[in-house]
Amino acid sequence: MDEETLKNAAREYQTPLYVYDGDLIVSRYREFAKAVASIGSKSRVFYAVKANSSLAILDLLRREGSSVDCVSGGEIACALKVGFKPHDILFTSNSKTREEIASAVSAGVNITCGNTEELDVVSEVCAEAGESARVSFRVNPDVDAKTHPKIATGLRDTKFGVHFEGDIAFNAYKRASELEGIDVVGLHAHIGSQITDASSFVESCEKLFEFALRLKNELGMQLEFIDVGGGVGIAYKKDDKPLSPEEYAKALEPAVKAGVESLGYEPTLYFEPGRYIVGPAGVLLCSVNSVKETPSKKFVNVDAGFNTLTRPAMYDAYHRATVLGKKGESETYDIAGNVCESGDILARDRALPKVVRDDIIIFHDAGAYGMSMASEYNMRALPAEVLVKDGVTHLIRERGTQEDLYRKQKTI
Amino acid sequence: MDEETLKNAAREYQTPLYVYDGDLIVSRYREFAKAVASIGSKSRVFYAVKANSSLAILDLLRREGSSVDCVSGGEIACALKVGFKPHDILFTSNSKTREEIASAVSAGVNITCGNTEELDVVSEVCAEAGESARVSFRVNPDVDAKTHPKIATGLRDTKFGVHFEGDIAFNAYKRASELEGIDVVGLHAHIGSQITDASSFVESCEKLFEFALRLKNELGMQLEFIDVGGGVGIAYKKDDKPLSPEEYAKALEPAVKAGVESLGYEPTLYFEPGRYIVGPAGVLLCSVNSVKETPSKKFVNVDAGFNTLTRPAMYDAYHRATVLGKKGESETYDIAGNVCESGDILARDRALPKVVRDDIIIFHDAGAYGMSMASEYNMRALPAEVLVKDGVTHLIRERGTQEDLYRKQKTI
């Protein structure tokens, strides 16, 4: 997106503002889908809604042929609202309420169970409703994804998935195959997010195929799909070297080919990219309220905070920051958010051109886990979102208002 | 609140649910106000709205005679809505928009500036509107509050306040005294949150009085108030030994007495408790969706996550957890949130009675920085809130709905 577009968007819709590049979202989706198709097996892409659950973005991806991976009843509701078919929706969460499960069963969504008790609830719900459910399990592959501990989801001690160890996963499949109303359709692992090392993906994929072979040999089970999850990282820093979808696909290819050959049938491969598709396609624009010099630092105080962009405070995450319409690196600043906590520093020790009040700071690569994690903490209304597509800037979410802050509340 | 009350609240309003004890809020407010009054100087209590910005709680405290400390235009709007008078509102934020400042000036709210550029904006706004503003500065006292780094706000390198060093604070006051439309009324420091060590409070208080003396001697300035901030901690763990308001007041007393004597006049002392008032008066109730045993751990999967209670994921915070209606410590569990991230563990390695599906877990001391930090991440609607007062349970915030999740959104 060129600077003129961003300037106009900030002028028209004010800041803080999330701006997404719809053309880039589409091209990244296509690049990813093409790369995983090149592995040679049947493949489907399930966009991970939690990365950015904007209806407009979901709709854009639906029109591209994407399916979706949802982690809650709310995400499923959003997906259905924009027109995804239930069979194109996966419901994968470590902790689902009975109501969420009942809605998913009645809609006909694919349910990925995270433990055997959840399977029991699915089965109970099916019995009550006289329906059946398409079920898979998330397994815990005990693979180290070498990413931030808070988003490494495939390790032995995490809350995710049924373990191979102690035959927990095997017994879960066995039990599922015996239960009324349960159609066992797939097998899933997801080892984490923002991963830049292909070997962890390969290791997880090999374990999935090995396990599918055991399910075939010992239970006579043939799976419709193997879901290898998401987690392909992006470049947040200039010198980051993330995996390209092509490298990712190439790395998986031998494991898939060997797996399919030993399996004797070809399950469809499911992929769940989220950050990869939308991360680099979004920026957060915020305005400079004041610039302040202290004896030890210079601070740029902006009109956004960790309620707007949570990743720096939550994960010590790095987002590139630039000044709209300015070049050079003449000063070093901390960019301070407006939340009343010391931890609310959006960027530390950044070389920027001289910043003055009313300048606009661009936080890059904020398309994923930006708006989706935003809150109204400190009673600041949620930001607006715009989507730029084919040269046109569309408001896709109106800015929150002060009335929103006390909606549904009453005094006694 | 007794177990019956909590059980009924969960049954009537479902989970996740924040439940507040209004009687305890009132008694803690009274205890705090009485303790600081015992110092012997005129004193006022400004409840820190960011801790819990529920309108019903604000209204309860207003009726007790509390004033409020606000950090945003949104918090000010909430305070005005429940009937606080502008003069009983402080506006203290490190980064204020021009619009927030304009609203504060036009309402007549006390403005605490965090840097000199903000002072310029206040002055510009006053000139444009033909109004004047009651202004103080937050100073950076360079005091180590010995608390979590993300909430230690009085250190030299934080974004908060004008520094004594290099005469930055002095020059700010000098400039303020010369500007049209600016009434310099006070002096403020806030060294952090969840502080259990009195010596940091004393050190900060001494520095404030010393500086007030310099302002008197060199600028002939007499302040209406000295605002010593908030930060009195609470017991999250059973064996925590927080300061009582009485101990806090007793610790400050010598510094205040000596300060007033050397100053030769008596500024009103302002206090800004937040967590102390509401923290122990709130619990989060959540339901158990499933219990899962892995080779290394047992997990209790609940229907809340870090989108409901952010503190464990954000600050590694500890909240006591118990099981409603059950006693004993027969098993060790991790209580896992429903957010799709490994970091979403609400409590680790807790000894609890045997937990089964549909049990209700109580997270204690969740009245502060619980609901105020909640988000709709993972597209889960915001929880409901109830306030129990004089034996009656009042719904003070309706549960969010799925429609809320896509309010204000549209596709293109």
Side-chain angles (χ1 to χ4, degrees):
Chain A
M1 291 175 293
D2 58 33
E3 297 214 316
E4 209 47 37
T5 303
L6 297 179
K7 251 182 217 169
N8 289 337
R11 195 177 303 123
E12 184 154 359
Y13 302 108
Q14 286 80 54
T15 57
L17 182 70
Y18 276 100
V19 185
Y20 309 113
D21 181 339
D23 303 308
L24 187 56
I25 291 172
V26 166
S27 71
R28 291 180 74 87
Y29 172 81
R30 289 181 186 167
E31 183 196 12
F32 190 93
K34 186 176 162 199
V36 297
S38 78
I39 293 174
S41 277
K42 287 172 294 180
S43 64
R44 291 180 63 185
V45 178
F46 290 74
Y47 167 68
V49 175
K50 64 181 179 296
N52 187 318
S53 27
S54 155
L55 295 191
I57 289 175
L58 295 183
D59 190 47
L60 206 61
L61 290 168
R62 185 190 56 78
R63 286 185 267 143
E64 285 297 312
S66 183
S67 298
V68 276
D69 169 42
C70 295
V71 299
S72 69
E75 287 192 0
I76 293 171
C78 291
L80 292 170
K81 190 175 165 66
V82 301
F84 284 93
K85 299 278 173 291
H87 277 228
D88 298 336
I89 298 172
L90 294 170
F91 180 23
T92 311
S93 154
N94 69 299
S95 185
K96 307 173 181 79
T97 64
R98 191 183 187 92
E99 292 68 37
E100 285 179 314
I101 289 172
S103 304
V105 166
S106 108
V109 163
N110 299 283
I111 299 175
T112 313
C113 290
N115 61 73
T116 41
E117 184 156 28
E118 219 165 70
L119 174 72
D120 292 341
V121 180
V122 175
S123 166
E124 286 167 25
V125 163
C126 286
E128 280 167 25
E131 312 235 24
S132 68
R134 291 167 51 81
V135 166
S136 54
F137 279 97
R138 175 171 185 167
V139 294
N140 180 311
D142 192 10
V143 168
D144 182 1
K146 303 175 189 93
T147 185
H148 191 288
K150 285 186 184 171
I151 51 175
T153 58
L155 288 165
R156 184 170 181 267
D157 285 350
T158 70
K159 65 182 179 180
F160 294 107
V162 285
H163 289 59
F164 293 136
E165 203 177 333
D167 273 349
I168 296 175
F170 181 79
N171 290 330
Y173 272 89
K174 188 157 183 291
R175 185 170 164 70
S177 71
E178 294 158 358
L179 281 175
E180 283 285 314
I182 302 291
D183 299 331
V184 181
V185 289
L187 170 60
H188 167 58
H190 175 70
I191 56 171
S193 192
Q194 183 54 18
I195 300 168
T196 53
D197 172 41
S199 67
S200 325
F201 287 123
V202 174
E203 188 185 345
S204 175
C205 182
E206 285 169 348
K207 289 188 173 181
L208 287 173
F209 272 99
E210 272 167 36
F211 186 66
L213 182 59
R214 186 173 172 204
L215 293 179
K216 181 189 171 198
N217 291 341
E218 300 185 32
L219 301 176
M221 205 176 261
Q222 183 155 329
L223 302 171
E224 212 177 285
F225 65 84
I226 289 182
D227 179 349
V228 299
V232 175
I234 62 171
Y236 283 104
K237 294 187 181 175
K238 240 176 169 174
D239 299 331
D240 282 352
K241 298 261 173 291
L243 284 177
S244 69
E246 294 73 24
E247 289 166 327
Y248 169 71
K250 211 160 246 105
L252 285 184
E253 191 174 327
V256 171
K257 289 226 147 85
V260 169
E261 188 169 325
S262 66
L263 207 50
Y265 72 91
E266 192 187 316
T268 303
L269 290 178
Y270 284 12
F271 296 89
E272 300 175 346
R275 190 190 311 261
Y276 181 81
I277 307 289
V278 292
V283 296
L284 169 64
L285 303 182
C286 39
S287 296
V288 175
N289 285 332
S290 53
V291 179
K292 157 170 164 177
E293 201 164 337
T294 77
S296 59
K297 278 173 179 288
K298 288 199 186 79
F299 289 97
V300 170
N301 296 314
V302 296
D303 63 356
F306 78 64
N307 44 12
T308 329
L309 180 64
T310 308
R311 301 186 69 257
M314 183 68 109
Y315 316 106
D316 287 317
Y318 181 101
H319 283 270
R320 268 190 316 121
T322 56
V323 185
L324 185 58
K326 288 189 173 179
K327 283 198 163 41
E329 299 192 342
S330 62
E331 315 263 346
T332 300
Y333 297 99
D334 275 16
I335 304 177
N338 56 3
V339 169
C340 225
E341 300 195 15
S342 316
D344 189 31
I345 300 294
L346 294 167
R348 288 178 200 277
D349 297 325
R350 299 298 174 86
L352 297 173
K354 190 175 162 56
V355 177
V356 297
R357 195 200 315 170
D358 295 332
D359 273 348
I360 288 176
I361 303 287
I362 310 174
F363 286 102
H364 297 266
D365 307 307
Y369 306 102
M371 187 64 186
S372 67
M373 300 185 81
S375 77
E376 292 168 333
Y377 182 44
N378 276 200
M379 282 286 176
R380 287 203 160 92
L382 289 174
E385 292 176 289
V386 302
L387 178 64
V388 182
K389 185 81 181 54
D390 302 321
V392 183
T393 300
H394 305 267
L395 180 67
I396 58 170
R397 181 179 181 129
E398 287 169 39
R399 181 171 301 287
T401 64
Q402 275 186 349
E403 288 67 42
D404 288 345
L405 300 171
Y406 38 78
R407 67 180 180 278
K408 296 173 190 271
Q409 287 199 53
K410 60 173 178 234
T411 54
I412 66 169
Chain B
M1 290 177 294
D2 59 31
E3 297 214 316
E4 209 46 39
T5 303
L6 297 179
K7 250 181 218 170
N8 290 336
R11 194 176 306 124
E12 182 154 1
Y13 301 110
Q14 287 81 54
T15 58
L17 182 71
Y18 277 100
V19 185
Y20 309 114
D21 181 339
D23 302 307
L24 187 56
I25 291 173
V26 166
S27 71
R28 292 181 73 87
Y29 172 81
R30 289 181 186 167
E31 184 195 12
F32 190 93
K34 187 178 163 197
V36 298
S38 77
I39 293 175
S41 277
K42 286 172 292 178
S43 64
R44 291 179 63 184
V45 178
F46 290 74
Y47 168 67
V49 175
K50 64 182 180 296
N52 187 318
S53 26
S54 154
L55 295 191
I57 289 175
L58 295 183
D59 190 46
L60 207 60
L61 290 167
R62 183 188 58 76
R63 286 185 268 144
E64 285 296 312
S66 182
S67 298
V68 276
D69 169 42
C70 295
V71 299
S72 69
E75 287 192 0
I76 294 171
C78 291
L80 292 170
K81 189 173 167 67
V82 300
F84 284 93
K85 300 278 173 292
H87 276 228
D88 299 335
I89 299 173
L90 293 170
F91 180 23
T92 312
S93 154
N94 70 299
S95 185
K96 307 174 181 77
T97 65
R98 192 183 188 91
E99 292 67 37
E100 285 179 313
I101 289 172
S103 304
V105 166
S106 107
V109 163
N110 299 283
I111 301 175
T112 313
C113 290
N115 62 74
T116 41
E117 185 157 26
E118 219 166 69
L119 175 72
D120 293 341
V121 180
V122 176
S123 167
E124 286 167 25
V125 163
C126 286
E128 280 167 24
E131 311 235 24
S132 68
R134 291 167 52 81
V135 166
S136 55
F137 280 96
R138 176 172 183 166
V139 295
N140 181 311
D142 191 12
V143 169
D144 182 1
K146 303 177 190 90
T147 184
H148 192 288
K150 285 185 183 170
I151 50 174
T153 57
L155 288 165
R156 185 170 181 264
D157 285 352
T158 70
K159 64 183 180 179
F160 293 107
V162 285
H163 289 59
F164 293 135
E165 203 178 333
D167 274 349
I168 296 174
F170 182 79
N171 290 329
Y173 272 89
K174 189 158 182 291
R175 185 169 163 73
S177 71
E178 293 158 0
L179 280 175
E180 284 283 315
I182 302 292
D183 298 331
V184 182
V185 291
L187 171 60
H188 168 58
H190 175 69
I191 57 172
S193 194
Q194 183 52 17
I195 300 168
T196 52
D197 172 41
S199 67
S200 326
F201 286 123
V202 174
E203 188 185 344
S204 176
C205 182
E206 286 170 346
K207 289 188 173 181
L208 287 174
F209 272 99
E210 272 167 36
F211 187 66
L213 182 60
R214 186 175 172 203
L215 293 179
K216 181 191 171 195
N217 291 341
E218 299 186 32
L219 300 177
M221 206 176 260
Q222 184 155 327
L223 302 171
E224 212 176 286
F225 66 84
I226 289 182
D227 179 349
V228 299
V232 175
I234 62 172
Y236 282 105
K237 293 187 181 173
K238 240 178 169 174
D239 299 331
D240 282 352
K241 297 262 172 291
L243 284 177
S244 69
E246 293 73 26
E247 290 166 325
Y248 168 70
K250 212 161 243 98
L252 284 185
E253 191 175 327
V256 171
K257 289 226 148 84
V260 169
E261 187 170 326
S262 66
L263 207 51
Y265 71 92
E266 193 188 317
T268 303
L269 289 179
Y270 283 13
F271 295 89
E272 299 175 346
R275 189 189 312 258
Y276 181 80
I277 308 289
V278 292
V283 296
L284 170 64
L285 303 183
C286 39
S287 297
V288 175
N289 286 332
S290 53
V291 179
K292 158 170 164 176
E293 198 162 339
T294 77
S296 59
K297 277 172 181 286
K298 288 199 186 78
F299 289 97
V300 170
N301 296 314
V302 295
D303 63 356
F306 77 64
N307 44 11
T308 328
L309 181 64
T310 309
R311 300 186 68 258
M314 183 67 110
Y315 316 107
D316 289 316
Y318 181 102
H319 283 270
R320 266 189 317 121
T322 57
V323 186
L324 186 57
K326 288 190 174 179
K327 283 198 164 39
E329 299 194 340
S330 62
E331 314 263 347
T332 300
Y333 297 99
D334 274 16
I335 305 177
N338 56 4
V339 170
C340 224
E341 301 196 13
S342 317
D344 188 32
I345 300 295
L346 293 167
R348 286 178 202 278
D349 297 324
R350 299 299 174 86
L352 297 173
K354 189 174 163 59
V355 178
V356 299
R357 197 203 309 172
D358 295 331
D359 273 348
I360 288 176
I361 304 287
I362 310 175
F363 286 101
H364 297 265
D365 306 306
Y369 305 103
M371 187 65 187
S372 68
M373 300 185 81
S375 77
E376 292 168 331
Y377 181 45
N378 276 201
M379 281 287 175
R380 287 203 161 93
L382 290 174
E385 292 174 290
V386 301
L387 178 64
V388 182
K389 185 81 179 53
D390 302 321
V392 183
T393 300
H394 306 267
L395 180 67
I396 59 169
R397 182 178 181 130
E398 285 170 40
R399 182 171 300 287
T401 64
Q402 275 186 351
E403 288 67 41
D404 288 345
L405 300 171
Y406 37 78
R407 66 181 181 276
K408 295 172 189 273
Q409 286 198 54
K410 60 175 179 229
T411 54
I412 66 170

